[in-house]
Amino acid sequence: MRNFYIRLAVSNIKKNKPVYYPFFLTNILSVMIFYVMASIQNQTIIATLPGSYIFVQFLKVGVVMTGMFAGVFLLYTNGLLIRQRKKELGLYAIFGLEKKHIAKVLMFESLLLTTAGLVAGIVLGIALGKLFFLVLLKLLHLDSGLTFQFLTEALMQTGICFIVIGVFILFYNLFSVMKAKPVELLYAAHKGDNYQSFMWQKAFLGILCIGGAYALIFTTPSPIDIIGRVFPIALLILLGTLFFFSSCSVVLLQALKKNDNYYYKPQNFISVSGLIYRLKQNAKGLSNICILSTVVMVIATTTLALYVGQKEMISFRFPMETKISVSDIADGQPTLPQFVHQTAEQYGVTISREAAYKVTYISGVYKDNTVSVYQPDIYPPDMTCGIYLITWEDYSRMEEGAEPLEADEVFAFSSSKDLGVSEISFGNLKYRIKAELSEFIIQSKSVLSSETHYFFICPTQKEIDNIITELSPAENKFSRTYSMMFDAEGKQETDFNAALQNQLYLGYAGAKFENAETKRQSDNYTYGGFLFIGLLLSLLFMVFLTLVIYYKQITEGYSDRYNFEVMQKVGLDRNEISAIVHKEIRTMFFFPLFMAVIHLAVSLYAVAMLLAVFGLTNVLVLLLCAGAISLLFTFVYVVMYFSTARTYYRIVTN
């Protein structure tokens, strides 16, 4: 008897290959991507890379997201699949099979599909894992000779994840069949949708949710605050898009129906009537397409911008190639310029540009033209800013021809927005701002910067001491350092930097060494990894998007096939049917793409602020990446249109 159920399950899968094979292929690709990400996450070489900690943490998040979204969309597409098969299952019931027998058939079908998908996906992941690993190494600028290890941990994670998904799918199918009557199963695929329920309420909720998400984006006070708003923004856009399509689809189609000049034409009449007939299913599919399209474009744009913008981020963080600082210089020790030039002579390196200065740092708060010391019990963390005090003597060595200052005057510079004031107070001490500098040789400037640094050029060290006495900062909120920035050129520059760093740490107290090239290599590991995760997640969501569009078309095709058969009998030829098919698909198919591009355009404001947290403040880089991704995605979307239109046409004409 068991062999009968197995043979019937295999026969069902073969007979329903137009609906089962895409689902099966998506399952395989989901397993493959999950396995590849889980394997790379556990590769030994990845954990040893400098600066790879953040990448590994995001990779772990990527593995969880892959499993979660794979489960959600496999369950969703399985719902479309089982809806299409309900007539077949209803016939089984009418011909004598009990529900428990149908349940056994479904159980063997799920077991076969889950097992085959899991095995095929893991085999494909092992086969292509090396290729994906080589892509990652290329993005990280690492030696391609490193080996890709087979790891049982990744195998176990993949097996557990997709077995759980398979069990959920089986329970969903059993519940759908057990609760339905045979007659309901027979006509489930042809049941129309009621579009009148809560239409205006849904329209209001959709506009409210999308408007709320956009408001959260545009009212974010600072780049660091956008991180806490990512989840509510995503949730509001998700709900708003779903409500928007379910309501606005009604409004659009009803408007077309009431337009006599448009509606009472054979092509328009049939296409609009078909869309109204399955409105609920159509709205759900369109909203899912819009959401998936938005996710793909936002992920791809963000990770590509981070990777492409590495040079911009390094340039912003390092006005000069190297920065060194010490907390104290003992009697008899060479000053930092002397130390750097002596080491440079040993290695034949030329110092082409430099700036040496003594800086007093205060962890402070700037509010209402007044600087005060940051106190956690009084001020929120987002009000913290860095206050840097430098003497005019040091500043004049950096900037030739600097104007002199009176005892009550200062120069001011902000790394983000200008102060825009004429007077500044440090407690009860007031100073007139003689000029607010538009640029500063030791600090880059951007209004999108996530960290605000205020530099004040004071007349003498005595004035700086007076400010410290007035503010009385705690030891952990105050420091004084001797700093130097410089550019170096020479064949032995790498050896010079290594020797300089070692001697600095050995000879000076509180030494700190930062180099642009070292940071660039570390960022390659981080942002190259981000791009790799973005590519895999974009590929996964593109697979889901293709599957959603495909199932939307075939389910609607099978629903419409009987209607088109009747229309052919009353005189419609194939050319007219083809025109109607394209008219019906075009009426709604490109609406999700249009909405997704709007979502992306608005989201760029939030993405720009989020990237500013990482140090990317060049908006042009983001805009170019967004434009390139949008054009590429639109091309793929158009290809999907022609492919699915042909699939729909073949179904309704066969």
Side-chain angles (χ1 to χ4, degrees):
M1 191 66 176
R2 181 180 300 174
N3 291 335
F4 166 75
Y5 294 127
I6 295 175
R7 288 198 303 271
L8 188 58
V10 173
S11 175
N12 288 342
I13 293 173
K14 289 181 179 179
K15 287 187 297 184
N16 290 281
K17 60 183 180 182
V19 292
Y20 265 123
Y21 284 6
F23 177 81
F24 180 60
L25 180 61
T26 302
N27 194 13
I28 292 175
L29 293 175
S30 300
V31 171
M32 181 203 72
I33 293 173
F34 185 96
Y35 175 78
V36 168
M37 293 186 73
S39 293
I40 291 176
Q41 171 199 328
N42 292 291
Q43 295 293 314
T44 306
I45 183 63
I46 298 299
T48 61
L49 297 176
S52 65
Y53 176 77
I54 297 177
F55 165 53
V56 172
Q57 299 307 309
F58 271 87
L59 199 55
K60 290 179 180 178
V61 174
V63 171
V64 174
M65 287 180 62
T66 301
M68 182 176 67
F69 284 110
V72 169
F73 281 98
L74 287 174
L75 280 168
Y76 168 75
T77 51
N78 172 76
L80 298 176
L81 185 153
I82 204 68
R83 173 188 172 106
Q84 191 57 42
R85 290 196 57 209
K86 281 184 177 180
K87 180 178 180 180
E88 172 191 342
L89 299 176
L91 287 173
Y92 285 154
I94 289 175
F95 290 154
L97 285 181
E98 299 179 16
K99 286 187 176 181
K100 64 180 181 180
H101 300 139
I102 298 175
K104 288 183 179 180
V105 174
L106 291 175
M107 182 181 68
F108 281 112
E109 288 179 9
S110 296
L111 181 62
L112 288 171
L113 288 171
T114 300
T115 304
L118 186 59
V119 172
I122 290 176
V123 170
L124 190 62
I126 295 172
L128 297 181
K130 175 68 173 178
L131 175 62
F132 281 105
F133 191 61
L134 289 174
V135 172
L136 175 62
L137 295 180
K138 183 68 175 177
L139 293 175
L140 301 183
H141 302 283
L142 290 176
D143 181 14
S144 59
L146 298 172
T147 57
F148 178 73
Q149 301 172 324
F150 172 79
L151 300 170
T152 55
E153 295 93 331
L155 190 65
M156 291 180 62
Q157 288 177 4
T158 307
I160 292 171
C161 177
F162 285 89
I163 287 173
V164 170
I165 292 173
V167 170
F168 272 103
I169 290 174
L170 173 60
F171 284 157
Y172 174 85
N173 293 344
L174 294 178
F175 178 76
S176 299
V177 172
M178 291 300 181
K179 73 172 185 176
K181 298 177 182 179
V183 175
E184 293 175 348
L185 290 173
L186 280 174
Y187 296 102
H190 301 286
K191 185 179 180 181
D193 293 323
N194 177 18
Y195 57 84
Q196 294 294 342
S197 57
F198 304 106
M199 181 183 68
W200 292 107
Q201 292 88 334
K202 289 179 181 178
F204 176 75
L205 285 174
I207 295 173
L208 190 66
C209 289
I210 293 176
Y214 289 178
L216 280 177
I217 291 173
F218 288 122
T219 58
T220 304
S222 65
I224 202 68
D225 292 317
I226 197 63
I227 297 175
R229 297 191 178 191
V230 169
F231 179 75
I233 288 171
L235 182 61
L236 286 173
I237 288 179
L238 177 68
L239 294 174
T241 302
L242 183 61
F243 289 135
F244 181 81
F245 275 97
S246 62
S247 58
C248 290
S249 298
V250 176
V251 174
L252 175 61
L253 293 174
Q254 290 300 312
L256 293 176
K257 186 176 180 180
K258 292 178 180 179
N259 187 338
D260 295 344
N261 294 329
Y262 178 87
Y263 185 66
Y264 289 107
K265 294 179 181 179
Q267 291 183 12
N268 299 341
F269 171 79
I270 297 171
S271 61
V272 172
S273 298
L275 290 170
I276 291 176
Y277 178 72
R278 54 174 182 274
L279 190 60
K280 187 186 297 183
Q281 177 185 342
N282 189 60
K284 187 184 295 185
L286 293 175
S287 61
N288 287 329
I289 292 170
C290 178
I291 291 166
L292 283 171
S293 301
T294 305
V295 170
V296 169
M297 289 193 287
V298 169
I299 289 177
T301 298
T302 304
T303 53
L304 181 62
L306 278 172
Y307 187 75
V308 173
Q310 288 182 73
K311 184 177 180 180
E312 297 289 339
M313 288 187 281
I314 293 296
S315 299
F316 181 79
R317 181 166 180 177
F318 290 88
M320 298 184 200
E321 189 175 329
T322 304
K323 177 182 178 180
I324 59 177
S325 62
V326 297
S327 60
D328 187 33
I329 297 179
D331 294 338
Q333 272 189 312
T335 63
L336 288 184
Q338 292 171 342
F339 167 68
V340 170
H341 283 279
Q342 289 171 4
T343 310
E345 288 178 7
Q346 296 174 13
Y347 288 88
V349 172
T350 302
I351 305 301
S352 58
R353 191 167 60 124
E354 64 180 277
Y357 53 96
K358 181 181 180 181
V359 59
T360 300
Y361 165 79
I362 303 171
S363 176
V365 171
Y366 172 74
K367 184 179 180 182
D368 299 330
N369 298 13
T370 301
V371 173
S372 54
V373 178
Y374 171 68
Q375 299 180 49
D377 54 337
I378 299 177
Y379 304 106
D382 59 352
M383 290 188 66
T384 311
C385 61
I387 307 297
Y388 298 85
L389 306 176
I390 299 175
T391 63
W392 180 88
E393 181 181 359
D394 286 342
Y395 174 70
S396 64
R397 286 198 298 267
M398 301 180 210
E399 299 285 351
E400 294 183 3
E403 296 182 32
L405 292 171
E406 299 294 335
D408 63 342
E409 293 179 333
V410 296
F411 290 130
F413 174 80
S414 170
S415 65
S416 56
K417 295 179 181 179
D418 289 340
L419 291 170
V421 297
S422 59
E423 191 177 71
I424 188 75
S425 297
F426 297 89
N428 293 320
L429 296 177
K430 292 185 178 181
Y431 292 87
R432 186 170 62 87
I433 296 179
K434 184 171 185 178
E436 186 162 4
L437 307 176
S438 59
E439 56 184 25
F440 196 22
I441 190 173
I442 62 173
Q443 176 65 53
S444 302
K445 183 180 181 68
S446 173
V447 294
L448 287 176
S449 177
S450 60
E451 298 179 332
T452 303
H453 304 294
Y454 295 113
F455 289 80
F456 296 99
I457 315 302
C458 301
T460 63
Q461 183 63 42
K462 181 180 178 181
E463 296 299 331
I464 295 177
D465 294 338
N466 291 339
I467 291 173
I468 297 302
T469 301
E470 173 65 24
L471 297 180
S472 301
E475 186 176 347
N476 62 339
K477 300 288 190 299
F478 161 74
S479 65
R480 276 181 173 154
T481 57
Y482 298 87
S483 301
M484 181 178 178
M485 290 186 183
F486 60 89
D487 290 332
E489 297 177 358
K491 295 182 179 179
Q492 300 188 66
E493 185 179 344
T494 302
D495 295 334
F496 161 70
N497 286 328
L500 186 69
Q501 183 176 5
N502 292 333
Q503 294 176 29
L504 184 72
Y505 287 145
L506 290 173
Y508 291 86
K512 186 177 180 181
F513 179 93
E514 295 178 277
N515 179 261
E517 182 59 32
T518 304
K519 178 63 177 172
R520 187 177 295 110
Q521 293 175 358
S522 176
D523 284 353
N524 276 334
Y525 301 144
T526 301
Y527 301 127
F530 282 177
L531 181 59
F532 179 75
I533 296 172
L535 290 174
L536 283 181
L537 289 178
S538 297
L539 174 61
L540 181 69
F541 282 110
M542 282 300 296
V543 170
F544 292 153
L545 176 61
T546 305
L547 188 66
V548 169
I549 292 175
Y550 177 80
Y551 274 117
K552 178 182 181 297
Q553 298 296 65
I554 65 170
T555 52
E556 293 175 0
Y558 284 119
S559 297
D560 291 346
R561 182 162 61 180
Y562 174 76
N563 298 332
F564 278 98
E565 287 175 358
V566 173
M567 283 184 270
Q568 288 183 79
K569 291 177 182 178
V570 297
L572 251 67
D573 58 31
R574 286 182 174 267
N575 291 332
E576 290 174 321
I577 291 176
S578 177
I580 292 170
V581 166
H582 285 284
K583 171 75 78 171
E584 183 171 329
I585 295 174
R586 285 198 306 268
T587 301
M588 287 294 182
F589 193 84
F590 289 97
F591 195 27
L593 176 62
F594 176 72
M595 282 299 300
V597 171
I598 292 177
H599 285 336
L600 173 65
V602 175
S603 299
L604 286 181
Y605 184 83
V607 172
M609 300 188 79
L610 186 63
L611 295 183
V613 176
F614 291 91
L616 179 58
T617 58
N618 191 333
V619 179
L620 181 60
V621 172
L622 177 61
L623 293 177
L624 290 174
C625 290
I629 293 297
S630 299
L631 291 174
L632 177 61
F633 184 83
T634 300
F635 172 76
V636 174
Y637 198 88
V638 171
V639 171
M640 289 181 186
Y641 164 73
F642 286 107
S643 301
T644 54
R646 284 197 299 268
T647 301
Y648 180 89
Y649 176 75
R650 285 198 301 269
I651 292 173
V652 299
T653 55
N654 284 338

